[in-house]
Amino acid sequence: MRTILNIIWLIFSGLWMALGYVLAGIICFVLIVTIPFGIACFRIAGYALWPFGYRVTERHDAGLASGVGNVIWLVIAGIWLAIGHILAGISFCVTIIGIPFGIAHFKMVPVSLMPLGREIVPTAQAYPGYRWNTQGQYT
């Protein structure tokens, strides 16, 4: 099911959002100081291409530099990418079939606003205690 959702996502909005992140990343690579922002853009671009089955978690080892970097990021590119996710999320939520895609866009808003100090991990790794066994029963 995740694969089907990811393919539909890729066709209707994933490619365009990923291109927006790649463009922001290329712009961030112009200055040496903003290279960490560019790396974060490329990481989020991969997540924007194939979001179902992955989750954004906070890194607890991120320090003060991540917080300061997030404020700078918010001013430079974060607000524009977040607006793109909000508008796409609203437009997808207009139809019943598009609601899961709209929710996925809304889940990407926090990471587009503050990408530093975040990590994109598979859902099973984000919630290791929540597993289903081979018989389909919750353990």
Side-chain angles (χ1 to χ4, degrees), residues 2-19 45-52 92 101 104-105 108:
R2 285 185 209 158
T3 305
I4 293 170
L5 287 173
N6 278 324
I7 291 171
I8 295 171
W9 170 271
L10 180 69
I11 293 168
F12 287 108
S13 71
L15 186 62
W16 302 111
M17 293 309 292
L19 287 175
Y47 178 55
L49 276 176
W50 209 257
F52 294 100
F92 271 108
F101 305 110
H105 272 291
M108 287 187 183

Short mmCIF file of all heavy atoms in Angstrom, two decimals, residues 2-19 45-52 92 101 104-105 108:
data_model
loop_
_atom_site.label_atom_id
_atom_site.label_comp_id
_atom_site.label_asym_id
_atom_site.label_seq_id
_atom_site.Cartn_x
_atom_site.Cartn_y
_atom_site.Cartn_z
N ARG A 2 1.98 1.21 0.77
CA ARG A 2 2.87 2.37 0.79
C ARG A 2 3.44 2.66 -0.60
O ARG A 2 3.57 3.81 -0.99
CB ARG A 2 4.03 2.13 1.74
CG ARG A 2 3.67 2.24 3.17
CD ARG A 2 4.92 2.12 4.00
NE ARG A 2 4.55 1.55 5.28
CZ ARG A 2 5.37 0.92 6.09
NH1 ARG A 2 6.62 0.76 5.76
NH2 ARG A 2 4.95 0.46 7.23
N THR A 3 3.76 1.61 -1.33
CA THR A 3 4.33 1.80 -2.66
C THR A 3 3.33 2.47 -3.58
O THR A 3 3.69 3.38 -4.34
CB THR A 3 4.78 0.44 -3.24
OG1 THR A 3 5.67 -0.18 -2.32
CG2 THR A 3 5.47 0.63 -4.57
N ILE A 4 2.08 2.06 -3.52
CA ILE A 4 1.05 2.68 -4.36
C ILE A 4 0.88 4.14 -3.99
O ILE A 4 0.80 5.02 -4.87
CB ILE A 4 -0.28 1.91 -4.23
CG1 ILE A 4 -0.13 0.50 -4.82
CG2 ILE A 4 -1.42 2.66 -4.92
CD1 ILE A 4 -1.29 -0.41 -4.54
N LEU A 5 0.81 4.43 -2.69
CA LEU A 5 0.68 5.82 -2.25
C LEU A 5 1.89 6.65 -2.68
O LEU A 5 1.74 7.79 -3.11
CB LEU A 5 0.52 5.87 -0.72
CG LEU A 5 -0.83 5.42 -0.17
CD1 LEU A 5 -0.77 5.36 1.35
CD2 LEU A 5 -1.94 6.34 -0.63
N ASN A 6 3.08 6.08 -2.57
CA ASN A 6 4.28 6.80 -2.97
C ASN A 6 4.32 7.08 -4.46
O ASN A 6 4.76 8.15 -4.89
CB ASN A 6 5.54 6.03 -2.54
CG ASN A 6 5.89 6.26 -1.10
OD1 ASN A 6 5.72 7.35 -0.57
ND2 ASN A 6 6.37 5.23 -0.44
N ILE A 7 3.85 6.15 -5.28
CA ILE A 7 3.84 6.37 -6.73
C ILE A 7 2.84 7.46 -7.09
O ILE A 7 3.15 8.35 -7.89
CB ILE A 7 3.53 5.04 -7.47
CG1 ILE A 7 4.72 4.09 -7.33
CG2 ILE A 7 3.22 5.31 -8.94
CD1 ILE A 7 4.47 2.69 -7.82
N ILE A 8 1.65 7.42 -6.49
CA ILE A 8 0.66 8.47 -6.75
C ILE A 8 1.19 9.82 -6.26
O ILE A 8 1.05 10.84 -6.92
CB ILE A 8 -0.68 8.12 -6.08
CG1 ILE A 8 -1.27 6.86 -6.74
CG2 ILE A 8 -1.67 9.27 -6.19
CD1 ILE A 8 -2.47 6.29 -6.03
N TRP A 9 1.82 9.80 -5.08
CA TRP A 9 2.41 11.02 -4.52
C TRP A 9 3.47 11.59 -5.47
O TRP A 9 3.51 12.79 -5.72
CB TRP A 9 3.04 10.70 -3.17
CG TRP A 9 3.88 11.80 -2.62
CD1 TRP A 9 5.21 12.00 -2.82
CD2 TRP A 9 3.45 12.87 -1.79
NE1 TRP A 9 5.64 13.11 -2.15
CE2 TRP A 9 4.57 13.66 -1.51
CE3 TRP A 9 2.22 13.22 -1.24
CZ2 TRP A 9 4.51 14.79 -0.71
CZ3 TRP A 9 2.16 14.35 -0.44
CH2 TRP A 9 3.28 15.11 -0.19
N LEU A 10 4.34 10.73 -5.98
CA LEU A 10 5.41 11.15 -6.88
C LEU A 10 4.85 11.83 -8.12
O LEU A 10 5.35 12.87 -8.55
CB LEU A 10 6.27 9.94 -7.27
CG LEU A 10 7.43 10.21 -8.20
CD1 LEU A 10 8.50 11.01 -7.48
CD2 LEU A 10 8.00 8.91 -8.70
N ILE A 11 3.79 11.29 -8.67
CA ILE A 11 3.21 11.83 -9.89
C ILE A 11 2.54 13.18 -9.65
O ILE A 11 2.72 14.12 -10.41
CB ILE A 11 2.19 10.83 -10.50
CG1 ILE A 11 2.93 9.58 -10.98
CG2 ILE A 11 1.39 11.47 -11.62
CD1 ILE A 11 2.02 8.43 -11.34
N PHE A 12 1.75 13.29 -8.57
CA PHE A 12 0.93 14.48 -8.39
C PHE A 12 1.60 15.62 -7.63
O PHE A 12 1.26 16.78 -7.87
CB PHE A 12 -0.39 14.12 -7.72
CG PHE A 12 -1.32 13.40 -8.64
CD1 PHE A 12 -1.55 12.05 -8.47
CD2 PHE A 12 -1.92 14.05 -9.69
CE1 PHE A 12 -2.40 11.36 -9.33
CE2 PHE A 12 -2.76 13.39 -10.56
CZ PHE A 12 -3.00 12.03 -10.37
N SER A 13 2.53 15.33 -6.72
CA SER A 13 3.13 16.47 -6.03
C SER A 13 4.56 16.23 -5.57
O SER A 13 5.28 17.19 -5.32
CB SER A 13 2.29 16.88 -4.82
OG SER A 13 2.38 15.92 -3.80
N GLY A 14 4.99 15.01 -5.45
CA GLY A 14 6.31 14.73 -4.92
C GLY A 14 7.43 15.28 -5.78
O GLY A 14 8.40 15.84 -5.27
N LEU A 15 7.31 15.12 -7.08
CA LEU A 15 8.35 15.60 -7.98
C LEU A 15 8.49 17.11 -7.90
O LEU A 15 9.61 17.63 -7.84
CB LEU A 15 8.04 15.15 -9.41
CG LEU A 15 9.11 15.46 -10.45
CD1 LEU A 15 10.40 14.74 -10.10
CD2 LEU A 15 8.63 15.06 -11.82
N TRP A 16 7.37 17.82 -7.84
CA TRP A 16 7.41 19.29 -7.82
C TRP A 16 7.96 19.81 -6.50
O TRP A 16 8.76 20.76 -6.49
CB TRP A 16 6.03 19.86 -8.10
CG TRP A 16 5.51 19.39 -9.41
CD1 TRP A 16 4.48 18.54 -9.62
CD2 TRP A 16 6.05 19.68 -10.69
NE1 TRP A 16 4.33 18.29 -10.97
CE2 TRP A 16 5.29 18.99 -11.64
CE3 TRP A 16 7.10 20.47 -11.13
CZ2 TRP A 16 5.55 19.06 -13.01
CZ3 TRP A 16 7.35 20.54 -12.49
CH2 TRP A 16 6.59 19.84 -13.40
N MET A 17 7.57 19.18 -5.39
CA MET A 17 8.10 19.62 -4.10
C MET A 17 9.58 19.30 -3.98
O MET A 17 10.36 20.08 -3.45
CB MET A 17 7.31 18.99 -2.95
CG MET A 17 5.87 19.45 -2.85
SD MET A 17 5.65 21.24 -2.84
CE MET A 17 6.37 21.67 -1.29
N ALA A 18 9.99 18.13 -4.49
CA ALA A 18 11.40 17.76 -4.45
C ALA A 18 12.23 18.73 -5.30
O ALA A 18 13.35 19.11 -4.91
CB ALA A 18 11.60 16.33 -4.93
N LEU A 19 11.71 19.14 -6.44
CA LEU A 19 12.42 20.13 -7.26
C LEU A 19 12.56 21.46 -6.53
O LEU A 19 13.58 22.14 -6.66
CB LEU A 19 11.70 20.32 -8.60
CG LEU A 19 11.84 19.18 -9.60
CD1 LEU A 19 10.99 19.45 -10.84
CD2 LEU A 19 13.29 18.97 -9.98
N ALA A 45 14.56 16.64 0.13
CA ALA A 45 14.08 16.39 -1.23
C ALA A 45 13.83 14.90 -1.45
O ALA A 45 12.85 14.51 -2.08
CB ALA A 45 15.07 16.92 -2.26
N GLY A 46 14.72 14.06 -0.92
CA GLY A 46 14.49 12.62 -1.01
C GLY A 46 13.25 12.19 -0.25
O GLY A 46 12.50 11.32 -0.70
N TYR A 47 13.03 12.82 0.89
CA TYR A 47 11.83 12.53 1.68
C TYR A 47 10.58 13.04 0.96
O TYR A 47 9.53 12.39 0.99
CB TYR A 47 11.96 13.18 3.05
CG TYR A 47 10.78 13.00 3.97
CD1 TYR A 47 10.29 11.75 4.29
CD2 TYR A 47 10.18 14.10 4.56
CE1 TYR A 47 9.23 11.59 5.14
CE2 TYR A 47 9.12 13.96 5.42
CZ TYR A 47 8.65 12.70 5.71
OH TYR A 47 7.58 12.55 6.56
N ALA A 48 10.68 14.17 0.28
CA ALA A 48 9.54 14.72 -0.46
C ALA A 48 9.19 13.86 -1.68
O ALA A 48 8.05 13.86 -2.12
CB ALA A 48 9.82 16.15 -0.89
N LEU A 49 10.17 13.12 -2.21
CA LEU A 49 9.88 12.23 -3.34
C LEU A 49 9.14 10.98 -2.92
O LEU A 49 8.27 10.49 -3.63
CB LEU A 49 11.19 11.82 -4.02
CG LEU A 49 11.76 12.76 -5.05
CD1 LEU A 49 13.10 12.23 -5.53
CD2 LEU A 49 10.82 12.95 -6.21
N TRP A 50 9.45 10.43 -1.75
CA TRP A 50 8.96 9.11 -1.33
C TRP A 50 8.65 9.15 0.17
O TRP A 50 9.36 8.54 0.96
CB TRP A 50 10.04 8.09 -1.65
CG TRP A 50 9.59 6.72 -1.94
CD1 TRP A 50 9.63 5.65 -1.11
CD2 TRP A 50 9.02 6.22 -3.16
NE1 TRP A 50 9.16 4.53 -1.73
CE2 TRP A 50 8.77 4.86 -2.99
CE3 TRP A 50 8.69 6.82 -4.37
CZ2 TRP A 50 8.22 4.07 -4.00
CZ3 TRP A 50 8.15 6.04 -5.36
CH2 TRP A 50 7.92 4.68 -5.17
N PRO A 51 7.59 9.85 0.63
CA PRO A 51 7.40 10.08 2.07
C PRO A 51 6.73 8.96 2.85
O PRO A 51 6.95 8.84 4.06
CB PRO A 51 6.51 11.32 2.10
CG PRO A 51 5.69 11.20 0.86
CD PRO A 51 6.61 10.58 -0.16
N PHE A 52 5.91 8.15 2.20
CA PHE A 52 5.16 7.14 2.94
C PHE A 52 6.09 6.01 3.35
O PHE A 52 6.80 5.44 2.53
CB PHE A 52 3.98 6.62 2.11
CG PHE A 52 2.95 7.68 1.86
CD1 PHE A 52 2.91 8.33 0.65
CD2 PHE A 52 2.05 8.03 2.83
CE1 PHE A 52 1.97 9.32 0.40
CE2 PHE A 52 1.10 9.01 2.60
CZ PHE A 52 1.07 9.66 1.38
N PHE A 92 -5.16 19.25 -1.82
CA PHE A 92 -5.40 17.81 -1.80
C PHE A 92 -6.56 17.44 -0.89
O PHE A 92 -7.29 16.49 -1.16
CB PHE A 92 -4.15 17.05 -1.36
CG PHE A 92 -3.23 16.70 -2.48
CD1 PHE A 92 -2.03 17.36 -2.64
CD2 PHE A 92 -3.58 15.73 -3.41
CE1 PHE A 92 -1.18 17.05 -3.68
CE2 PHE A 92 -2.73 15.40 -4.45
CZ PHE A 92 -1.53 16.07 -4.59
N PHE A 101 -2.78 12.47 1.06
CA PHE A 101 -1.70 13.27 0.49
C PHE A 101 -1.66 14.66 1.12
O PHE A 101 -0.58 15.21 1.34
CB PHE A 101 -1.85 13.35 -1.03
CG PHE A 101 -1.92 12.00 -1.67
CD1 PHE A 101 -3.09 11.54 -2.24
CD2 PHE A 101 -0.82 11.18 -1.68
CE1 PHE A 101 -3.16 10.29 -2.82
CE2 PHE A 101 -0.87 9.92 -2.26
CZ PHE A 101 -2.05 9.47 -2.82
N ALA A 104 -0.04 14.24 4.41
CA ALA A 104 1.41 14.10 4.23
C ALA A 104 2.07 15.45 4.01
O ALA A 104 3.16 15.70 4.52
CB ALA A 104 1.71 13.16 3.07
N HIS A 105 1.41 16.34 3.27
CA HIS A 105 1.96 17.68 3.08
C HIS A 105 1.99 18.43 4.41
O HIS A 105 2.97 19.11 4.71
CB HIS A 105 1.13 18.47 2.07
CG HIS A 105 1.57 18.28 0.66
ND1 HIS A 105 2.76 18.75 0.18
CD2 HIS A 105 0.96 17.67 -0.38
CE1 HIS A 105 2.88 18.45 -1.10
NE2 HIS A 105 1.80 17.78 -1.46
N MET A 108 4.87 17.55 6.53
CA MET A 108 6.17 18.05 6.06
C MET A 108 6.40 19.51 6.42
O MET A 108 7.52 20.00 6.29
CB MET A 108 6.28 17.87 4.56
CG MET A 108 6.49 16.46 4.15
SD MET A 108 6.81 16.41 2.39
CE MET A 108 6.91 14.66 2.15
#
